Amino acid sequence: MATLSDSPVETHYRNCHICEAVCGLEIKVQDGQIVSVEGDKQDPLSRGYICPKGVAIKEMHGDPDRLRMPRRRTATGWQEISWSDALDYAADGIVDVQKRHGDDAVADFIGNAYGTVYGIMTHIGYLRNVLNTHNSASLASIDHISHLMSSALMYGHQYLLPIPDLDRTEFVVMAGANPLASNGSLMTAPGIRDRLKAIKARGGRLVIIDPRRTESAKLADEHHAIRPGTDAALAAAILNTMFEEDLVNPRALTRFLNGLDEVERVVAPFTAARAAEVTGINADAIRQLARDFAGAERAVWYGRIGTCAQTFGAITQWLFSLINIVTGNLDQPGGCMLNTPAVDLAQDPHIDPGRYNEWQSRVRGLPSFGGEIPASSFAEEMLAPGEGQIRAFVCIAANPVLSFPNGRKLDQAFESLEFMVALDPFITASSRHADVILPAVPHVECDHYELAFYSFAVRNVTKFIEPSIKASDAGMADWEILVALAERIAARKGISIEPTLSPAEMVDLALQHGHYGEAAGHPAALSLEKLKTSPHGIDLGPLQSRMPECLQTDDHQIHCAPDVLVNDLARLESDLFSSPKSDDLILIGRRHVRSKNTQTQNCQRLMRGPNLCTLFMHPDDLALRELHDGDIVRVTSTVGEVCLPVTSTEDISPGVVSIPHGFDHGRDGVQLSVSSQYPGVSANDLTDDRRVDPVTGMAAYNGAPVSVGPLAAN
Ligand code: SF4
């Protein structure tokens, strides 16, 4: 590598923080700047794989739009201020609102960084303890709460979350997931294309269920184009077929299953013939899929965002889990297994195991889960007057205007707030509403441990990541901001709080007392010191069977028929099977390998090339409306409209249209110089915050009814 500087080039190893694959990276640094980013061939999980977003970390780290110091809103614009002044100002504003309106008048939300920045996970509780509000939420309720809830109800803890044992399975069904674009989610599996190809190479089979013939579907042996929002009907029919045809064999699980008879009874009405009518998948194909899956020695049924962010998300994840259970594929090699993480979140007494419906949101009565309320309730909680109204907001590493349902309503709600704090390194569609912005130092300048994603990895691995670049003395890490803010709020409220350990010190304790620690008598005797001597990470082996010992239900059994989920089947019957069919087009989302939610669009390297933000529509639907490929069209829903170019493609089912999420950075006040050249539209200007899965309160991002017409119409 030729460089102009005489300074030495340092080599650092860390993980990519952009998506859940957490690929190992080899980063070369000179004079405090990244000069190259490559895949780390010695990373035990990613083995050198890297995608275009990982390479872009160099550009993202040097982004001139990134804030280096806090900003305060003034009558004449943003003013840079010191950390001390910014934290005092933030604490004053929060406490002032709470003193006048009560603690619940302040809400907080944590975005993706909950998983990607370990200091947020370790220290958010420190801040929340002093905020003392019922109005906390996180990305769980806009992304994966159905999965967490299914695990909490069936296995006793939200983080007992089984994932596909991808490297040993022979038959995988993936529903509502496009891992070739997302690189896997709730399943840390870097280089997933090769992992999926390997299944086929060893004689296995990949089945994709998705309304769109996605990149993953094109790799698959079989693709079923399902009608959006009907996955629960398909899953119930698969189970029904297995019971009817005597294919049920839970194998080793049998001795600790509770409620399987109840499952057989409640899925009985959902026959393959009836499911065919609502899903659009032929009844014979449903029955054959049930037989093939049950007949496979090592199989796993997996569902992700498309099956979660819909009106039946909770029962869908439950029924998918049951398919793995009744075929004996849960907790078995090649099936659906738990990771045995070196730091086990399910054993952390500070983490809520997933208590359900302890309280409800004020306006709509949506249920709490795991100590949080659904994010879909926030806009109305901010706008509806009355006791308990949210009047101030702490937005932590998130862009809710683009990622919550009905973003325009949230824009309006943010405008109505008395005070807002944003922990954000950029002035985005959301943080532009803040009174003060607190920008943490970037990931590559921080240490890190994959608390979340190593818990969902397809192999047991561990690694501690040290800073690749020394942070400026003036910078603060996310956890330091949380602690400093908590201390100031506590002082103003007269609350005493204990000093806290750093995230690294917490991880050290957890490692030593975890599955591979000295306290457990494990020969690896993991500790922070030991991990620091293995910068590429340590391979702890393939996934292991852990049940029933790890179960945290009262009776240490798997609860196959939780009441709240069983009872929701009545809604499936009434709303899906017994409702008249609509002629509306149905909107779904999509991912692209060059984009990750709202966080990668300010990077020229990723944004150049074909426009990613277009409407996918089937040629027959275009012809019906006398529209043509490339036209700018108007898409209208119950809550709003957007105008964007249309792409004609036979890959999407007739009657279904798709818009990627995370775009629309062109709003007034946003300071993202690259994104503003490629603004796109926000799919969440179309999603309705009132259209939720009532069991979880999660917004149904997929399945919104929309109409599409020419731009000139209206
Ligand atoms: S797949 Fe994800 S983790 Fe890996 S390099 Fe790409 S963005 Fe980073």
Side-chain angles (χ1 to χ4, degrees), residues 16-23 25 49-55 182-183 190:
C16 175
H17 58 268
I18 297 174
C19 90
E20 296 177 45
V22 296
C23 299
L25 303 179
Y49 175 79
I50 186 171
C51 86
K53 297 189 291 293
V55 177
S182 70
N183 288 298

Side-chain angles (χ1 to χ4, degrees), residues 227 230 233-234 237 240 266-283 286-287 569 572-574 576-579 581:
R227 216 166 269 148
T230 65
L234 172 67
N240 172 288
V266 298
V267 299
F270 300 104
T271 61
R274 293 187 71 216
E277 286 178 26
V278 297
T279 61
I281 302 175
N282 174 298
I286 295 174
R287 289 190 203 96
L569 288 173
L572 184 72
E573 179 66 54
S574 63
L576 196 60
F577 285 90
S578 306
S579 291
K581 302 285 172 291

Side-chain angles (χ1 to χ4, degrees), residues 476-647:
M476 292 184 78
D478 297 79
W479 74 275
E480 293 172 314
I481 299 171
L482 296 177
V483 170
L485 191 55
E487 286 170 348
R488 281 166 166 80
I489 293 169
R492 284 158 176 75
K493 291 170 92 171
I495 303 168
S496 71
I497 51 174
E498 296 290 319
T500 177
L501 299 176
S502 71
E505 289 168 328
M506 289 182 179
V507 163
D508 189 25
L509 282 176
L511 286 168
Q512 292 183 43
H513 291 88
H515 299 290
Y516 310 90
E518 201 166 17
H522 195 279
L526 292 186
S527 66
L528 194 64
E529 201 181 325
K530 185 153 190 181
L531 293 200
K532 283 183 176 179
T533 64
S534 302
H536 303 285
I538 299 173
D539 185 7
L540 297 167
L543 304 182
Q544 302 290 329
S545 300
R546 294 183 57 198
M547 293 185 182
E549 291 75 16
C550 69
L551 294 171
Q552 295 189 27
T553 49
D554 294 345
D555 53 6
H556 298 286
Q557 298 212 323
I558 294 172
H559 291 186
C560 295
D563 287 346
V564 65
L565 299 173
V566 167
N567 294 341
D568 198 40
L569 288 173
R571 185 173 62 91
L572 184 72
E573 179 66 54
S574 63
D575 289 12
L576 196 60
F577 285 90
S578 306
S579 291
K581 302 285 172 291
S582 159
D583 290 333
D584 288 320
L585 291 165
I586 300 297
L587 178 67
I588 60 171
R590 70 174 188 271
R591 273 281 289 273
H592 191 280
V593 74
R594 287 194 284 130
S595 170
K596 167 73 194 302
N597 299 342
T598 63
Q599 70 191 90
T600 50
Q601 284 92 353
N602 207 43
C603 180
Q604 194 69 253
R605 169 187 274 270
L606 296 174
M607 293 305 292
R608 66 187 170 215
N611 182 3
L612 300 180
C613 190
T614 68
L615 179 80
F616 279 8
M617 194 171 190
H618 192 276
D620 292 352
D621 288 326
L622 282 167
L624 264 177
R625 292 161 182 80
E626 298 183 355
L627 296 169
H628 305 93
D629 183 49
D631 285 355
I632 306 291
V633 296
R634 185 186 303 276
V635 187
T636 309
S637 75
T638 48
V639 298
E641 65 174 33
V642 298
C643 297
L644 74 169
V646 64
T647 300

